């Protein structure tokens, strides 16, 4: 159930899941990525501001809190409201409490909430439970990157493709579903440290093929990362690995990698030689400068530069997209949720 009291709308996770669609999330993430491009601006380009995320430590609980603030304006989402020009001011607060899993009634270790404010007065207007938005927007950003860095790169990449998911948790699951829902994927190959988790995802995906672009999609589970990725055209790494699990000699020549996982840093799960043999892109250059420190590989640019055509993708055989997470993608996907919720409940 959702609530609306004293002008404040509260939207629960169940509503988020019922309202979001992959086309809407793809469009919202495209606009967010466009908005942070450092290229030439024009009247049709959205613009955004988002400071680097900050955090606070709660040592006694071994817990963390993260703050992500963003503002984006002059953007459109035709799948949501074809006539409206949107502006969104939002804040996401993320908490990480490792002991939540040990509670009598367990809670997720990571819990997010998103607040949306009036861009006219600054008044708080909507609170959205944010774990679902986070999962959808992360997959959405990678789907946009996959289109512009892989499928649009050259003609040989048209047609059915092989997707490998390395890490079958929340993010691996969402990427498998999202990419298969938007692109012609012929096979999905799964690897997870706990094989039963991969098998569970295989069963779920096989029950969803009617909603995928390729209705005859096949799903396979592997016991090694090497076997999982050896035929892959598109790879998603979504693990908490603290040392590399993906190496250059495992990969085909033409491959695109969406790097999602994070542990001690954002680049621990992929070996340095993979980066050095690839062209590396990020969701934002500001985020890359902050969160890819220590990675001995240049960042070619932000995906928004490619979308806005201020830069072009060279026909390099291998690309990597680092999904670092942006407040702006949270804002645009949360805006989809709020807009559709208010339409559904006739509150606009």
């Amino acid at each position: 159930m959702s609530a609306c009291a004293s002008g404040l709308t509260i939207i629960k996770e169940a509503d988020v899941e019922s309202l979001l669609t992959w086309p809407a999330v793809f469009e919202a993430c495209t606009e967010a990525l466009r908005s942070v491009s450092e290229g030439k601006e024009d009247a049709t380009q959205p613009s955004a501001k988002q400071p680097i995320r900050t955090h606070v430590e709660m040592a006694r609980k071994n817990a963390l809190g993260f703050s992500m603030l963003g503002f984006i304006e002059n953007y459109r989402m035709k799948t949501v409201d074809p006539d409206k020009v949107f502006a969104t001011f939002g804040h996401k607060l993320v908490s990480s409490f490792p002991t939540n899993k040990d509670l009598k009634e367990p809670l997720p270790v990571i819990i997010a909430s998103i607040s949306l404010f009036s861009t006219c007065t600054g008044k708080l207007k909507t609170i959205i439970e944010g774990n679902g938005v986070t999962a959808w927007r992360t997959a959405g950003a990678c789907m946009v990157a996959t289109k512009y860095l892989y499928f649009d790169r050259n003609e040989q990449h048209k047609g059915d493709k092989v997707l490998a998911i390395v890490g079958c948790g929340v993010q691996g699951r969402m990427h498998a579903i999202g990419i298969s829902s938007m692109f012609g994927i012929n096979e999905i190959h799964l690897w997870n440290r706990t094989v039963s988790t991969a098998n569970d995802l295989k069963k779920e995906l096989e029950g969803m093929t009617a909603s995928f672009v390729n209705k005859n999609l096949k799903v396979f589970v592997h016991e090694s990362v090497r076997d999982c990725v050896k035929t892959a055209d598109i790879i998603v790494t979504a693990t908490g690995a603290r040392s590399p699990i993906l190496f250059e000699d495992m990969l085909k020549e033409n491959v695109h990698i969406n790097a999602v996982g994070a542990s001690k840093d954002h680049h621990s799960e992929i070996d340095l030689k993979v980066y050095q043999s690839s062209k590396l892109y990020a969701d934002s250059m500001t985020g890359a400068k902050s969160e890819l420190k220590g990675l001995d590989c240049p960042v070619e640019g932000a995906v928004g530069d490619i979308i806005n055509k201020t830069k072009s993708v060279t026909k390099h055989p291998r690309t990597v997209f680092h999904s670092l997470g942006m407040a702006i993608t949270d804002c645009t996907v949360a805006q989809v949720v709020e807009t559709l919720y208010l339409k559904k409940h006739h509150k606009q």
Side-chain angles (χ1 to χ4, degrees), residues 162-178:
V162 175
L163 170 65
I165 303 291
V166 181
C168 297
V170 172
Q171 286 297 344
R173 173 183 176 272
M174 291 300 287
H175 282 74
I177 295 170

Side-chain angles (χ1 to χ4, degrees), residues 39 41 68 112 135 138 141 164 203:
E41 296 185 8
M68 300 170 66
T138 306
K203 184 176 180 180

Side-chain angles (χ1 to χ4, degrees), residues 127-144:
I127 298 173
I128 304 172
E129 290 186 339
N131 282 28
V133 169
T134 301
W136 282 79
R137 67 83 153 137
T138 306
C142 287
M143 288 155 55
V144 175

Side-chain angles (χ1 to χ4, degrees), residues 36-320:
V36 297
S37 169
E38 296 181 353
K40 183 179 178 181
E41 296 185 8
D42 61 43
T44 66
Q45 183 180 336
S47 60
K49 298 290 183 182
Q50 56 177 0
I52 295 171
R53 80 185 87 198
T54 58
H55 75 277
V56 62
E57 297 180 7
M58 292 163 270
R60 290 187 179 181
K61 288 283 188 180
N62 191 28
L64 293 170
F66 295 88
S67 174
M68 300 170 66
L69 186 67
F71 172 68
I72 176 172
E73 61 182 341
N74 195 38
Y75 72 102
R76 292 181 179 272
M77 297 190 292
K78 293 180 181 179
T79 55
V80 178
D81 189 334
D83 300 319
K84 186 171 182 178
V85 178
F86 288 91
T88 307
F89 172 29
H91 175 254
K92 183 166 82 169
L93 184 66
V94 183
S95 64
S96 175
F97 280 72
T99 56
N100 280 1
K101 64 182 183 297
D102 302 319
L103 296 174
K104 185 176 181 180
E105 295 184 10
L107 291 171
V109 170
I110 297 174
I111 298 176
S113 60
I114 300 170
S115 300
L116 297 180
F117 304 86
S118 168
T119 56
C120 296
T121 66
K123 182 182 178 181
L124 175 64
K125 55 179 183 153
T126 302
I127 298 173
I128 304 172
E129 290 186 339
N131 282 28
V133 169
T134 301
W136 282 79
R137 67 83 153 137
T138 306
C142 287
M143 288 155 55
V144 175
T146 300
K147 177 188 186 304
Y148 285 94
L149 299 180
Y150 182 77
F151 282 104
D152 286 1
R153 201 191 312 165
N154 58 53
E155 286 300 316
Q156 74 184 62
H157 292 154
K158 304 300 180 185
D160 292 336
K161 292 298 165 187
V162 175
L163 170 65
I165 303 291
V166 181
C168 297
V170 172
Q171 286 297 344
R173 173 183 176 272
M174 291 300 287
H175 282 74
I177 295 170
I179 292 172
S180 301
S181 297
M182 294 293 290
F183 303 113
I185 300 299
N186 191 44
E187 298 177 0
I188 301 179
H189 295 258
L190 306 174
W191 175 88
N192 196 74
R193 184 179 60 179
T194 305
V195 178
S196 61
T197 303
N199 283 322
D200 289 344
L201 180 56
K202 177 180 186 292
K203 184 176 180 180
E204 181 181 8
L205 294 171
E206 288 174 339
M208 299 180 67
T209 53
S211 66
F212 295 155
V213 173
N214 186 340
K215 315 300 181 190
N216 299 312
L217 181 151
K218 305 299 182 186
V219 187
F220 305 90
V221 171
H222 300 276
E223 294 188 359
S224 74
V225 174
R226 182 177 296 275
D227 288 339
C228 180
V229 304
K230 66 183 180 182
T231 62
D233 302 294
I234 302 161
I235 299 171
V236 176
T237 58
T239 75
R242 296 181 64 83
S243 58
I245 58 173
L246 189 70
F247 296 88
E248 185 186 15
D249 67 354
M250 297 178 175
L251 305 175
K252 287 173 56 175
E253 187 67 13
N254 281 305
V255 66
H256 171 71
I257 301 167
N258 293 303
V260 178
S263 180
K264 63 180 182 180
D265 52 44
H266 273 281
H267 51 87
S268 59
E269 61 185 353
I270 299 177
D271 186 66
L272 179 60
K273 288 184 179 179
V274 174
Y275 288 108
Q276 294 176 336
S277 65
S278 308
K279 295 294 184 182
L280 174 61
Y281 295 83
D283 41 20
S284 79
M285 290 304 293
T286 301
K289 290 171 186 175
S290 171
E291 302 199 31
L292 293 180
K293 285 181 179 178
L295 178 59
D296 186 18
C297 179
V299 181
E300 295 291 316
V303 172
D305 300 332
I306 309 303
I307 301 170
N308 290 336
K309 298 182 179 179
T310 57
K311 289 185 180 179
S312 60
V313 182
T314 59
K315 291 188 178 181
H316 193 274
R318 189 175 295 149
T319 49
V320 176

Side-chain angles (χ1 to χ4, degrees), residues 335-348:
Q335 185 67 73
V336 172
V337 173
E338 182 196 59
T339 302
L340 295 179
Y341 178 83
L342 294 177
K343 281 186 177 182
K344 181 178 179 180
H345 294 275
H346 308 291
K347 295 183 181 299
Q348 282 193 322

